[in-house]
Amino acid sequence: MIEVNKLTFTYAKNALPVIKELSAIFNRGEITAVTGKNGCGKTTLSKLMTGILHPDCGSVFIDGEDISGMNLFAIGQRIGYIWQNPNRQLFCPTVAEEIAFGLRNKGLSDVEISSETDRYLQMFRLAAKKSAHPLLLSLGEKQRLALAAVLSLGAPYLLLDEPTGGLDVRCRRLLGVELQQLAERQNCGVIVISHEDDFIRRFCARKVVM
Amino acid sequence: MILTNLDARVKLLMLVAVSSVALIIQRPLTLAAVLLLTLILLLAGGVDRAKVWKQTRAMLSIIGGIFIIQCVFCRAGLPLITIGDFTLVTTGGLQMAVVVALRLLIIISSALIVLTGEMRDYLLALRWCRLPYEIVYMTLAALRFIPLLRDEAVSIYSAMQMRGYNIKSANWHKRIKLYLAMLLPITASALHKAGQMSIAMETRAFRCMPNRSEWRSLQFSRGDFIYTAIFFVLLIAIIIFIKQ
């Protein structure tokens, strides 16, 4: 489980804290939604949980390990993170290479990389665009690609910052089903930052309101 | 009087004066005195010491690198450090290295004067200098993009690491490849932002009329005049006094 313990974070000196003494628990095997008003610190929380930002006070534990001593590479082995803006995590020259990037870093063989890449391209309906540059895709396609690239890594936890933003109804449903399967079959802990009540009601087991 | 309250025109004038002096003067002692004056000006003007140090520290490795290059490659003067028959550092090389390092430090410090004001004030100040509004506005708008682009670079860098790329264990060849891979999305994002911004501006009547009115204007106060006078007297005094 991921345990957030009395987190406090302030962006600028002498400013009011964005997050103040926040504590929460995110279990494996279920989807937890994080919701709240605009500007309440949901994205900040996600960045604190993934070590991109460092809290002023408090700590984050992943399966009992404090992340304060870990680098992003080590945290990335435990949590797959999807940014709110997919442009901020797409950097490879083709769609297929974007998915293969993480698989290659995991040390998979060329055959495994190729088959896994094809599987995710099919799953996220990106096979027709496998040679396209990621930045030339539509917003929805970029969102799907970012999801595919992170899901392919198979981290025990997934943190998705507003993943349904650019998705149509069908893709949203497919994503929900895929996340549910990940949580139930692979005991993955999924955390979804979302405003969409419908998505939360349908797919999330618990809700953290900020 | 703190620098934040100073007229933007005065700050620009100070920046130009200090930077020009730094580029013209060759004597290390005069440059050191100008650097000292700039630092006193900043600290007495209420600029946070930590901010001055943070900005300077970020450039120290570059300044150090330039210092070493100047020391080694400028061969003027007498030998200072020799290894066998080979002269590693000469007196002229060392002097040039000190001059270049001091110049850079002065330019960085003087740039901090500008950071104490708001962009819109500099826009008015540059307009007062009869520069075309479009060019001034676009230059200052581009400067506002820098923190956004930095954020984007940090995000991409973080995403790479979180997707299993261990930067610490990567060799220099791989690191350069990684930085090059980051360039394209950042450049594309900058162009996209610029395109969006130009559309947004035109929809809000930018350049619609030949003459543009100003909502606010800069006021040159007595304090500004006194501050400018003291600054220039000190600057000229340093140049003349140390020359003698």
Side-chain angles (χ1 to χ4, degrees), chain A residues 9-76:
Chain A
F9 181 79
T10 314
Y11 273 104
K13 245 185 189 177
N14 307 325
L16 287 171
V18 182
I19 292 175
K20 198 176 175 188
E21 297 200 349
L22 177 91
S23 296
I25 283 173
F26 303 93
N27 293 320
R28 285 184 74 161
E30 65 180 25
I31 305 178
T32 310
V34 177
T35 183
K37 287 179 193 166
N38 285 337
C40 70
K42 298 186 295 294
T43 297
T44 305
L45 173 67
S46 70
K47 287 183 178 173
L48 290 167
M49 285 170 71
T50 48
I52 294 167
L53 293 176
H54 302 286
D56 301 334
C57 299
S59 40
V60 178
F61 295 93
I62 304 175
D63 292 332
E65 279 185 279
D66 191 344
I67 67 160
S68 61
M70 295 181 197
N71 57 22
L72 286 176
F73 171 71
I75 296 168

Side-chain angles (χ1 to χ4, degrees), chain B residues 188-201:
Chain B
S189 163
L191 291 173
H192 182 65
K193 278 194 181 81
Q196 280 185 325
M197 190 176 155
S198 71
I199 293 168
M201 282 165 61

Side-chain angles (χ1 to χ4, degrees), chain B residues 135-190:
Chain B
I135 292 171
V136 173
Y137 185 85
M138 286 302 167
T139 310
L140 296 178
L143 288 175
R144 281 187 205 160
F145 275 142
I146 293 171
L148 293 176
L149 296 177
R150 192 190 58 198
D151 278 357
E152 220 145 279
V154 169
S155 293
I156 295 170
Y157 192 68
S158 306
M160 283 175 169
Q161 289 181 83
M162 292 198 73
R163 274 160 61 190
Y165 196 92
N166 194 354
I167 288 168
K168 277 191 179 171
S169 70
N171 58 31
W172 279 106
H173 176 69
K174 278 187 175 174
R175 283 189 191 202
I176 289 168
K177 264 180 83 175
L178 178 136
Y179 295 134
L180 286 175
M182 285 168 68
L183 267 181
L184 186 63
I186 294 168
T187 312
S189 163

Side-chain angles (χ1 to χ4, degrees), chain A residues 165-186:
Chain A
L167 302 183
D168 58 32
V169 179
R170 181 173 173 248
C171 273
R172 222 175 290 171
R173 189 175 52 78
L174 280 174
L175 171 70
V177 172
E178 174 71 17
L179 293 178
Q180 257 181 347
Q181 284 179 354
L182 267 171
E184 286 163 12
R185 292 184 192 166
Q186 293 177 37

